[in-house]
Structure formats: structure tokens, C-alpha cells
Amino acid sequence: GGIEMILKVMDNHLQNGKVQQYGCGVLQNLTRDDDYKKSIASLGGTEMVLMAMETHTQNAEVQKNGCMTLYNLSLSASPIVKQHMERFYLSVKHSLLALKSRNNLQGRAIDIKTILFKFIKLSLIVSDNNYL
């Protein structure tokens, strides 16, 4: 179906920041639905989003969309998602540091605030559930 196609395109074009940005954006929208969350997690979506974020550390849109997707997935009780929590936590932390270190942050303040907000909420989820 559609989720498999999105993940395949993201996998085949991992080095393309625009593909990752839009792919993570579509997954972000789909993760608002519990049934889609399960499908995305079981089809390797968590791993794909993490790979996109790790590959495109300087791309604020990939980081924002990926963070929002993973945050939505983290609200699931899926064991597949839980096994990636530490990696997600570290990926978001590295993303924040990478974006902060950029010389030109003008116009990116909203992205950093969004990521930071989700990072703080994720930190609370991680600590409350002893994922780390």
C-alpha cells in the first residue's frame, strides 16, 4: 500500500533531503491515526525516519518532520517503537545541537522551538517509562 511505497522511496533516495523532508512530513500526518501508527512501526517506518534524521542532520525540515513523526509514534505502546526510544532520544538531541551550531539560524527559530518542545516531552516519556 501507500505506506510501503513512501518508505521504499525514502529508502531508495536516502541522500535526497527533499525526499526525506516530504516523506517524514507525510508519515507525520499519518501517525495521527492509531492504525497507521501500527502499520508504520511494523513496516520499518521508525527506522527509516531515524535514518533520514541521522543522514540529514543539518536539514531543519527533515529534523522537524522526523521529530514530530517519532514523537507521535512514541505515544504508541508498540514494542517496535519502544526498542528505538533511546536512539530517537539521541537523534533529536544531536539534531538540536547541529541546528544550534549553524551560523544562520534566522528563520529557523520556530523549527528549533518545535523540536525542543518535542524533545522535552520525549525526555519526560523516556524517564517516566525507564526506556533509557
Side-chain angles (χ1 to χ4, degrees):
I3 293 171
E4 293 96 337
M5 184 174 63
I6 294 164
L7 296 174
K8 184 175 182 175
V9 169
M10 289 177 72
D11 188 44
N12 288 340
H13 301 280
L14 184 60
Q15 299 304 317
N16 186 317
K18 285 288 185 193
V19 169
Q20 302 310 311
Q21 173 186 333
Y22 294 128
C24 288
V26 170
L27 294 174
Q28 173 192 342
N29 289 328
L30 292 174
T31 56
R32 294 179 182 155
D33 179 276
D34 287 336
D35 291 332
Y36 286 135
K37 280 182 195 177
K38 292 174 189 170
S39 295
I40 290 166
S42 68
L43 292 170
T46 306
E47 177 69 21
M48 190 68 247
V49 172
L50 284 165
M51 287 173 36
M53 291 175 72
E54 291 166 355
T55 302
H56 300 279
T57 58
Q58 298 295 315
N59 185 321
E61 294 300 317
V62 171
Q63 298 304 313
K64 181 182 76 170
N65 294 345
C67 182
M68 300 286 279
T69 301
L70 294 173
Y71 173 75
N72 289 344
L73 286 169
S74 75
L75 300 176
S76 164
S78 168
I80 296 168
V81 173
K82 287 180 181 178
Q83 76 184 20
H84 291 289
M85 288 299 286
E86 181 177 3
R87 187 167 165 210
F88 172 31
Y89 179 85
L90 294 173
S91 181
V92 173
K93 181 179 176 181
H94 292 301
S95 298
L96 284 168
L97 293 173
L99 291 172
K100 182 181 174 188
S101 70
R102 290 179 66 176
N103 293 334
N104 182 9
L105 291 178
Q106 291 180 342
R108 296 292 182 205
I110 190 77
D111 295 335
I112 293 171
K113 286 179 184 176
T114 300
I115 294 170
L116 183 57
F117 176 72
K118 295 299 182 185
F119 180 72
I120 291 168
K121 287 184 83 170
L122 174 65
S123 298
L124 296 173
I125 291 169
V126 168
S127 63
D128 287 347
N129 293 292
N130 297 316
Y131 289 127
L132 293 179

mmCIF file of all heavy atoms in Angstrom, residues 53 57 59-68 71 88 91-97 99 108-123:
data_model
loop_
_atom_site.group_PDB
_atom_site.id
_atom_site.type_symbol
_atom_site.label_atom_id
_atom_site.label_comp_id
_atom_site.label_asym_id
_atom_site.label_seq_id
_atom_site.Cartn_x
_atom_site.Cartn_y
_atom_site.Cartn_z
ATOM 1 N N MET A 53 16.823 11.308 9.646
ATOM 2 C CA MET A 53 17.302 12.337 10.574
ATOM 3 C C MET A 53 18.811 12.256 10.771
ATOM 4 O O MET A 53 19.482 13.282 10.852
ATOM 5 C CB MET A 53 16.583 12.202 11.917
ATOM 6 C CG MET A 53 15.110 12.566 11.847
ATOM 7 S SD MET A 53 14.233 12.283 13.399
ATOM 8 C CE MET A 53 14.932 13.638 14.387
ATOM 9 N N THR A 57 21.366 15.760 9.198
ATOM 10 C CA THR A 57 21.412 16.451 10.491
ATOM 11 C C THR A 57 21.328 17.965 10.359
ATOM 12 O O THR A 57 20.902 18.634 11.298
ATOM 13 C CB THR A 57 22.685 16.091 11.273
ATOM 14 O OG1 THR A 57 23.826 16.435 10.479
ATOM 15 C CG2 THR A 57 22.715 14.610 11.622
ATOM 16 N N ASN A 59 19.506 19.561 8.030
ATOM 17 C CA ASN A 59 18.270 19.938 7.360
ATOM 18 C C ASN A 59 17.172 20.091 8.406
ATOM 19 O O ASN A 59 16.643 19.107 8.920
ATOM 20 C CB ASN A 59 17.897 18.877 6.320
ATOM 21 C CG ASN A 59 16.693 19.255 5.490
ATOM 22 O OD1 ASN A 59 15.727 19.820 5.990
ATOM 23 N ND2 ASN A 59 16.742 18.917 4.212
ATOM 24 N N ALA A 60 16.833 21.328 8.716
ATOM 25 C CA ALA A 60 15.871 21.608 9.786
ATOM 26 C C ALA A 60 14.501 21.011 9.503
ATOM 27 O O ALA A 60 13.808 20.570 10.422
ATOM 28 C CB ALA A 60 15.753 23.111 10.002
ATOM 29 N N GLU A 61 14.087 20.980 8.241
ATOM 30 C CA GLU A 61 12.772 20.440 7.904
ATOM 31 C C GLU A 61 12.718 18.926 8.104
ATOM 32 O O GLU A 61 11.715 18.395 8.587
ATOM 33 C CB GLU A 61 12.378 20.815 6.475
ATOM 34 C CG GLU A 61 12.161 22.303 6.279
ATOM 35 C CD GLU A 61 11.056 22.863 7.171
ATOM 36 O OE1 GLU A 61 9.991 22.228 7.302
ATOM 37 O OE2 GLU A 61 11.257 23.947 7.751
ATOM 38 N N VAL A 62 13.779 18.232 7.721
ATOM 39 C CA VAL A 62 13.835 16.785 7.974
ATOM 40 C C VAL A 62 13.797 16.539 9.478
ATOM 41 O O VAL A 62 13.078 15.664 9.960
ATOM 42 C CB VAL A 62 15.092 16.141 7.347
ATOM 43 C CG1 VAL A 62 15.257 14.700 7.805
ATOM 44 C CG2 VAL A 62 15.038 16.217 5.823
ATOM 45 N N GLN A 63 14.563 17.334 10.212
ATOM 46 C CA GLN A 63 14.610 17.160 11.663
ATOM 47 C C GLN A 63 13.250 17.424 12.297
ATOM 48 O O GLN A 63 12.789 16.661 13.151
ATOM 49 C CB GLN A 63 15.667 18.069 12.284
ATOM 50 C CG GLN A 63 17.081 17.783 11.817
ATOM 51 C CD GLN A 63 17.489 16.340 12.043
ATOM 52 O OE1 GLN A 63 17.281 15.802 13.114
ATOM 53 N NE2 GLN A 63 18.047 15.713 11.026
ATOM 54 N N LYS A 64 12.603 18.500 11.887
ATOM 55 C CA LYS A 64 11.297 18.849 12.461
ATOM 56 C C LYS A 64 10.262 17.778 12.133
ATOM 57 O O LYS A 64 9.567 17.274 13.022
ATOM 58 C CB LYS A 64 10.832 20.202 11.946
ATOM 59 C CG LYS A 64 9.485 20.635 12.523
ATOM 60 C CD LYS A 64 9.017 21.954 11.966
ATOM 61 C CE LYS A 64 8.506 21.737 10.571
ATOM 62 N NZ LYS A 64 7.819 22.856 9.971
ATOM 63 N N ASN A 65 10.146 17.415 10.847
ATOM 64 C CA ASN A 65 9.159 16.422 10.437
ATOM 65 C C ASN A 65 9.447 15.051 11.037
ATOM 66 O O ASN A 65 8.535 14.348 11.477
ATOM 67 C CB ASN A 65 9.079 16.327 8.912
ATOM 68 C CG ASN A 65 8.539 17.587 8.277
ATOM 69 O OD1 ASN A 65 7.967 18.448 8.930
ATOM 70 N ND2 ASN A 65 8.735 17.714 6.977
ATOM 71 N N GLY A 66 10.726 14.696 11.054
ATOM 72 C CA GLY A 66 11.105 13.413 11.651
ATOM 73 C C GLY A 66 10.816 13.383 13.139
ATOM 74 O O GLY A 66 10.298 12.393 13.665
ATOM 75 N N CYS A 67 11.133 14.463 13.811
ATOM 76 C CA CYS A 67 10.899 14.546 15.248
ATOM 77 C C CYS A 67 9.413 14.428 15.555
ATOM 78 O O CYS A 67 9.005 13.696 16.470
ATOM 79 C CB CYS A 67 11.466 15.853 15.789
ATOM 80 S SG CYS A 67 11.298 16.042 17.564
ATOM 81 N N MET A 68 8.599 15.137 14.812
ATOM 82 C CA MET A 68 7.157 15.088 15.039
ATOM 83 C C MET A 68 6.614 13.681 14.767
ATOM 84 O O MET A 68 5.773 13.175 15.513
ATOM 85 C CB MET A 68 6.451 16.110 14.152
ATOM 86 C CG MET A 68 6.879 17.535 14.376
ATOM 87 S SD MET A 68 6.250 18.238 15.884
ATOM 88 C CE MET A 68 4.621 18.673 15.352
ATOM 89 N N TYR A 71 7.819 11.436 17.587
ATOM 90 C CA TYR A 71 7.096 11.777 18.804
ATOM 91 C C TYR A 71 5.703 11.140 18.772
ATOM 92 O O TYR A 71 5.274 10.507 19.741
ATOM 93 C CB TYR A 71 6.986 13.285 18.977
ATOM 94 C CG TYR A 71 6.097 13.650 20.145
ATOM 95 C CD1 TYR A 71 6.564 13.504 21.441
ATOM 96 C CD2 TYR A 71 4.801 14.075 19.942
ATOM 97 C CE1 TYR A 71 5.740 13.795 22.515
ATOM 98 C CE2 TYR A 71 3.978 14.372 21.009
ATOM 99 C CZ TYR A 71 4.450 14.227 22.295
ATOM 100 O OH TYR A 71 3.639 14.505 23.354
ATOM 101 N N PHE A 88 16.046 7.377 19.223
ATOM 102 C CA PHE A 88 15.252 8.560 18.902
ATOM 103 C C PHE A 88 15.661 9.721 19.795
ATOM 104 O O PHE A 88 15.914 10.824 19.329
ATOM 105 C CB PHE A 88 13.765 8.229 19.065
ATOM 106 C CG PHE A 88 12.830 9.411 18.949
ATOM 107 C CD1 PHE A 88 13.112 10.487 18.142
ATOM 108 C CD2 PHE A 88 11.651 9.406 19.650
ATOM 109 C CE1 PHE A 88 12.228 11.569 18.033
ATOM 110 C CE2 PHE A 88 10.765 10.478 19.558
ATOM 111 C CZ PHE A 88 11.064 11.549 18.756
ATOM 112 N N SER A 91 19.030 10.948 18.690
ATOM 113 C CA SER A 91 18.950 11.591 17.380
ATOM 114 C C SER A 91 18.411 13.006 17.492
ATOM 115 O O SER A 91 18.936 13.942 16.887
ATOM 116 C CB SER A 91 18.070 10.755 16.447
ATOM 117 O OG SER A 91 18.003 11.339 15.181
ATOM 118 N N VAL A 92 17.357 13.173 18.278
ATOM 119 C CA VAL A 92 16.788 14.508 18.462
ATOM 120 C C VAL A 92 17.780 15.416 19.173
ATOM 121 O O VAL A 92 17.956 16.580 18.805
ATOM 122 C CB VAL A 92 15.440 14.433 19.222
ATOM 123 C CG1 VAL A 92 14.934 15.824 19.554
ATOM 124 C CG2 VAL A 92 14.419 13.683 18.396
ATOM 125 N N LYS A 93 18.469 14.888 20.152
ATOM 126 C CA LYS A 93 19.470 15.677 20.866
ATOM 127 C C LYS A 93 20.557 16.153 19.905
ATOM 128 O O LYS A 93 20.928 17.325 19.901
ATOM 129 C CB LYS A 93 20.085 14.839 21.991
ATOM 130 C CG LYS A 93 21.110 15.568 22.816
ATOM 131 C CD LYS A 93 21.632 14.671 23.925
ATOM 132 C CE LYS A 93 22.734 15.355 24.688
ATOM 133 N NZ LYS A 93 23.273 14.487 25.748
ATOM 134 N N HIS A 94 21.050 15.250 19.065
ATOM 135 C CA HIS A 94 22.085 15.627 18.085
ATOM 136 C C HIS A 94 21.542 16.624 17.071
ATOM 137 O O HIS A 94 22.248 17.528 16.634
ATOM 138 C CB HIS A 94 22.645 14.395 17.386
ATOM 139 C CG HIS A 94 23.438 13.508 18.278
ATOM 140 N ND1 HIS A 94 24.556 13.923 18.966
ATOM 141 C CD2 HIS A 94 23.252 12.220 18.636
ATOM 142 C CE1 HIS A 94 25.034 12.935 19.689
ATOM 143 N NE2 HIS A 94 24.259 11.888 19.514
ATOM 144 N N SER A 95 20.286 16.469 16.689
ATOM 145 C CA SER A 95 19.668 17.399 15.745
ATOM 146 C C SER A 95 19.627 18.803 16.322
ATOM 147 O O SER A 95 19.937 19.784 15.643
ATOM 148 C CB SER A 95 18.244 16.962 15.421
ATOM 149 O OG SER A 95 18.254 15.710 14.819
ATOM 150 N N LEU A 96 19.242 18.892 17.576
ATOM 151 C CA LEU A 96 19.198 20.205 18.226
ATOM 152 C C LEU A 96 20.579 20.849 18.255
ATOM 153 O O LEU A 96 20.729 22.032 17.969
ATOM 154 C CB LEU A 96 18.663 20.074 19.654
ATOM 155 C CG LEU A 96 17.168 19.869 19.769
ATOM 156 C CD1 LEU A 96 16.799 19.465 21.191
ATOM 157 C CD2 LEU A 96 16.421 21.130 19.373
ATOM 158 N N LEU A 97 21.586 20.065 18.593
ATOM 159 C CA LEU A 97 22.946 20.600 18.640
ATOM 160 C C LEU A 97 23.425 21.028 17.262
ATOM 161 O O LEU A 97 24.059 22.069 17.114
ATOM 162 C CB LEU A 97 23.898 19.564 19.248
ATOM 163 C CG LEU A 97 23.661 19.242 20.720
ATOM 164 C CD1 LEU A 97 24.549 18.084 21.166
ATOM 165 C CD2 LEU A 97 23.890 20.465 21.594
ATOM 166 N N LEU A 99 21.556 21.966 14.675
ATOM 167 C CA LEU A 99 20.847 23.169 14.252
ATOM 168 C C LEU A 99 21.320 24.390 15.024
ATOM 169 O O LEU A 99 21.426 25.479 14.475
ATOM 170 C CB LEU A 99 19.341 22.978 14.427
ATOM 171 C CG LEU A 99 18.695 21.976 13.484
ATOM 172 C CD1 LEU A 99 17.257 21.726 13.885
ATOM 173 C CD2 LEU A 99 18.781 22.451 12.048
ATOM 174 N N ARG A 108 14.860 29.956 11.407
ATOM 175 C CA ARG A 108 14.824 28.579 11.903
ATOM 176 C C ARG A 108 14.402 28.513 13.362
ATOM 177 O O ARG A 108 14.294 27.448 13.929
ATOM 178 C CB ARG A 108 16.197 27.914 11.768
ATOM 179 C CG ARG A 108 16.655 27.756 10.346
ATOM 180 C CD ARG A 108 15.794 26.749 9.641
ATOM 181 N NE ARG A 108 16.240 26.547 8.287
ATOM 182 C CZ ARG A 108 15.467 26.126 7.334
ATOM 183 N NH1 ARG A 108 14.210 25.890 7.559
ATOM 184 N NH2 ARG A 108 15.929 25.944 6.135
ATOM 185 N N ALA A 109 14.159 29.648 13.977
ATOM 186 C CA ALA A 109 13.825 29.664 15.403
ATOM 187 C C ALA A 109 12.584 28.824 15.680
ATOM 188 O O ALA A 109 12.536 28.084 16.656
ATOM 189 C CB ALA A 109 13.633 31.089 15.889
ATOM 190 N N ILE A 110 11.588 28.916 14.817
ATOM 191 C CA ILE A 110 10.363 28.149 15.033
ATOM 192 C C ILE A 110 10.635 26.654 14.941
ATOM 193 O O ILE A 110 10.101 25.863 15.709
ATOM 194 C CB ILE A 110 9.236 28.572 14.064
ATOM 195 C CG1 ILE A 110 7.915 27.939 14.478
ATOM 196 C CG2 ILE A 110 9.564 28.232 12.634
ATOM 197 C CD1 ILE A 110 7.256 28.609 15.642
ATOM 198 N N ASP A 111 11.507 26.242 14.006
ATOM 199 C CA ASP A 111 11.855 24.830 13.877
ATOM 200 C C ASP A 111 12.555 24.336 15.126
ATOM 201 O O ASP A 111 12.254 23.263 15.633
ATOM 202 C CB ASP A 111 12.767 24.609 12.665
ATOM 203 C CG ASP A 111 12.062 24.927 11.354
ATOM 204 O OD1 ASP A 111 10.824 24.842 11.314
ATOM 205 O OD2 ASP A 111 12.753 25.263 10.392
ATOM 206 N N ILE A 112 13.483 25.122 15.623
ATOM 207 C CA ILE A 112 14.227 24.722 16.815
ATOM 208 C C ILE A 112 13.295 24.659 18.019
ATOM 209 O O ILE A 112 13.360 23.723 18.816
ATOM 210 C CB ILE A 112 15.421 25.670 17.054
ATOM 211 C CG1 ILE A 112 16.445 25.482 15.927
ATOM 212 C CG2 ILE A 112 16.046 25.418 18.409
ATOM 213 C CD1 ILE A 112 17.545 26.493 15.926
ATOM 214 N N LYS A 113 12.389 25.621 18.132
ATOM 215 C CA LYS A 113 11.436 25.596 19.250
ATOM 216 C C LYS A 113 10.537 24.369 19.170
ATOM 217 O O LYS A 113 10.247 23.734 20.180
ATOM 218 C CB LYS A 113 10.602 26.871 19.255
ATOM 219 C CG LYS A 113 11.356 28.083 19.735
ATOM 220 C CD LYS A 113 10.457 29.313 19.695
ATOM 221 C CE LYS A 113 11.252 30.554 20.076
ATOM 222 N NZ LYS A 113 10.434 31.770 19.953
ATOM 223 N N THR A 114 10.084 24.026 17.982
ATOM 224 C CA THR A 114 9.227 22.852 17.813
ATOM 225 C C THR A 114 9.976 21.593 18.214
ATOM 226 O O THR A 114 9.454 20.759 18.950
ATOM 227 C CB THR A 114 8.751 22.736 16.344
ATOM 228 O OG1 THR A 114 8.026 23.906 16.007
ATOM 229 C CG2 THR A 114 7.891 21.508 16.134
ATOM 230 N N ILE A 115 11.195 21.449 17.719
ATOM 231 C CA ILE A 115 11.990 20.270 18.046
ATOM 232 C C ILE A 115 12.289 20.236 19.538
ATOM 233 O O ILE A 115 12.172 19.193 20.183
ATOM 234 C CB ILE A 115 13.289 20.230 17.209
ATOM 235 C CG1 ILE A 115 12.942 20.043 15.731
ATOM 236 C CG2 ILE A 115 14.206 19.117 17.689
ATOM 237 C CD1 ILE A 115 14.106 20.233 14.794
ATOM 238 N N LEU A 116 12.641 21.369 20.104
ATOM 239 C CA LEU A 116 12.961 21.422 21.527
ATOM 240 C C LEU A 116 11.745 21.041 22.369
ATOM 241 O O LEU A 116 11.851 20.271 23.328
ATOM 242 C CB LEU A 116 13.454 22.811 21.909
ATOM 243 C CG LEU A 116 13.890 23.000 23.360
ATOM 244 C CD1 LEU A 116 14.984 22.016 23.725
ATOM 245 C CD2 LEU A 116 14.357 24.424 23.588
ATOM 246 N N PHE A 117 10.579 21.539 22.017
ATOM 247 C CA PHE A 117 9.361 21.206 22.747
ATOM 248 C C PHE A 117 9.115 19.699 22.726
ATOM 249 O O PHE A 117 8.847 19.088 23.760
ATOM 250 C CB PHE A 117 8.175 21.961 22.142
ATOM 251 C CG PHE A 117 6.864 21.607 22.767
ATOM 252 C CD1 PHE A 117 6.555 22.039 24.049
ATOM 253 C CD2 PHE A 117 5.939 20.846 22.076
ATOM 254 C CE1 PHE A 117 5.343 21.711 24.632
ATOM 255 C CE2 PHE A 117 4.719 20.516 22.652
ATOM 256 C CZ PHE A 117 4.423 20.953 23.936
ATOM 257 N N LYS A 118 9.227 19.090 21.548
ATOM 258 C CA LYS A 118 9.020 17.644 21.441
ATOM 259 C C LYS A 118 10.116 16.883 22.180
ATOM 260 O O LYS A 118 9.866 15.841 22.774
ATOM 261 C CB LYS A 118 8.963 17.204 19.974
ATOM 262 C CG LYS A 118 7.776 17.763 19.228
ATOM 263 C CD LYS A 118 6.467 17.311 19.844
ATOM 264 C CE LYS A 118 5.294 17.847 19.049
ATOM 265 N NZ LYS A 118 4.017 17.541 19.647
ATOM 266 N N PHE A 119 11.330 17.412 22.153
ATOM 267 C CA PHE A 119 12.440 16.772 22.855
ATOM 268 C C PHE A 119 12.174 16.749 24.358
ATOM 269 O O PHE A 119 12.376 15.745 25.022
ATOM 270 C CB PHE A 119 13.742 17.510 22.553
ATOM 271 C CG PHE A 119 14.942 16.919 23.225
ATOM 272 C CD1 PHE A 119 15.467 15.709 22.798
ATOM 273 C CD2 PHE A 119 15.552 17.565 24.283
ATOM 274 C CE1 PHE A 119 16.568 15.165 23.417
ATOM 275 C CE2 PHE A 119 16.659 17.027 24.895
ATOM 276 C CZ PHE A 119 17.177 15.820 24.463
ATOM 277 N N ILE A 120 11.689 17.849 24.896
ATOM 278 C CA ILE A 120 11.385 17.919 26.329
ATOM 279 C C ILE A 120 10.268 16.936 26.668
ATOM 280 O O ILE A 120 10.367 16.184 27.645
ATOM 281 C CB ILE A 120 11.016 19.356 26.739
ATOM 282 C CG1 ILE A 120 12.253 20.248 26.646
ATOM 283 C CG2 ILE A 120 10.421 19.383 28.145
ATOM 284 C CD1 ILE A 120 11.955 21.722 26.735
ATOM 285 N N LYS A 121 9.219 16.907 25.862
ATOM 286 C CA LYS A 121 8.128 15.968 26.110
ATOM 287 C C LYS A 121 8.623 14.530 26.001
ATOM 288 O O LYS A 121 8.244 13.675 26.798
ATOM 289 C CB LYS A 121 6.975 16.221 25.150
ATOM 290 C CG LYS A 121 6.193 17.481 25.479
ATOM 291 C CD LYS A 121 5.006 17.652 24.592
ATOM 292 C CE LYS A 121 3.864 16.830 25.137
ATOM 293 N NZ LYS A 121 2.595 17.125 24.445
ATOM 294 N N LEU A 122 9.466 14.254 25.002
ATOM 295 C CA LEU A 122 10.018 12.916 24.849
ATOM 296 C C LEU A 122 10.877 12.553 26.052
ATOM 297 O O LEU A 122 10.830 11.428 26.543
ATOM 298 C CB LEU A 122 10.844 12.814 23.573
ATOM 299 C CG LEU A 122 11.580 11.488 23.401
ATOM 300 C CD1 LEU A 122 10.582 10.346 23.237
ATOM 301 C CD2 LEU A 122 12.519 11.549 22.227
ATOM 302 N N SER A 123 11.672 13.486 26.549
ATOM 303 C CA SER A 123 12.509 13.226 27.715
ATOM 304 C C SER A 123 11.662 12.776 28.898
ATOM 305 O O SER A 123 12.036 11.873 29.638
ATOM 306 C CB SER A 123 13.296 14.479 28.120
ATOM 307 O OG SER A 123 14.153 14.874 27.085
#
